Amino acid sequence: MTTHRTATPPRPRGDDCGAHVVGAATARCPLATHVFEMAMEPVDVYVAQARRTTATVLKHWSLPETPAEDAQLVVSELVSNAIIHGSGDVRLRLRHDDHELRIRVTDDSTAPARRRLASADGLGGRGLHLVACLSLRWGVADGGRTTYAVVPTLTEAPPCRRTT
């Protein structure tokens, strides 16, 4: 079973935008903050659903094509890792403000996600490398339960998209 919740704050008034993020209140926030949450059982089929749902949400939020595609891949990798290596239900949270998209995937495991070396013929070990490549930053929080990534949505390109 999958549940979805979205929140788009009302227009700002003065210094306090009056925004509420799903489950929490904020006194100050960026002009355009959008939040989407989704919970799913740890079943492989939900990786594709999370990717498709992310694409739909980001299109609704009018994100440009390149960061939206990067975000879909990051979501796919993080949800896959949570299903394969985590435990319990998997929760996806997207939060977009004026210049970046924060992606958080949480499960009940306290074993933190970590990058591995992939063998030439191995099937695994590349996911977090892709996440690192497509994100401004990524890491682990909540005692290992949450893996997050920050994808730029405006001017700053992630490491693998930078040209010199």
Side-chain angles (χ1 to χ4, degrees):
M1 179 174 205
T2 305
T3 58
H4 306 274
R5 297 190 305 171
T6 61
T8 303
R11 290 301 233 176
R13 279 181 246 166
D15 289 339
D16 182 5
C17 69
H20 64 280
V21 176
V22 177
T26 58
R28 298 188 188 280
C29 63
L31 291 178
T33 301
H34 305 285
V35 174
F36 172 82
E37 292 182 337
M38 172 178 171
M40 64 204 89
E41 296 172 295
V43 180
D44 291 344
V45 69
Y46 291 123
V47 174
Q49 182 179 353
R51 188 174 50 247
R52 285 190 306 270
T53 302
T54 297
T56 301
V57 168
L58 298 182
K59 185 175 183 179
H60 178 73
W61 291 348
S62 301
L63 255 69
E65 186 176 335
T66 299
E69 289 173 352
D70 291 351
Q72 290 170 57
L73 181 54
V74 168
V75 164
S76 185
E77 293 299 333
L78 295 182
V79 169
S80 291
N81 281 352
I83 289 172
I84 294 167
H85 303 291
S87 64
D89 286 347
V90 176
R91 293 163 304 281
L92 167 65
R93 185 174 198 268
L94 306 173
R95 183 176 190 273
H96 175 254
D97 60 27
D98 293 331
H99 62 283
E100 62 187 23
L101 175 69
R102 294 180 192 108
I103 301 165
R104 295 174 55 95
V105 175
T106 304
D107 63 70
D108 294 332
S109 174
T110 58
R114 59 182 179 81
R115 288 171 73 169
R116 298 182 296 144
L117 292 176
S119 63
D121 57 350
L123 295 176
R126 293 172 183 81
L128 289 177
H129 175 72
L130 288 170
V131 169
C133 185
L134 296 171
S135 305
L136 291 174
R137 61 190 175 280
W138 76 278
V140 177
D142 303 327
R145 290 181 176 87
T146 298
T147 305
Y148 67 88
V150 178
V151 176
T153 58
L154 289 180
T155 56
E156 188 173 355
C160 68
R161 295 223 187 256
R162 292 184 185 140
T163 57
T164 50

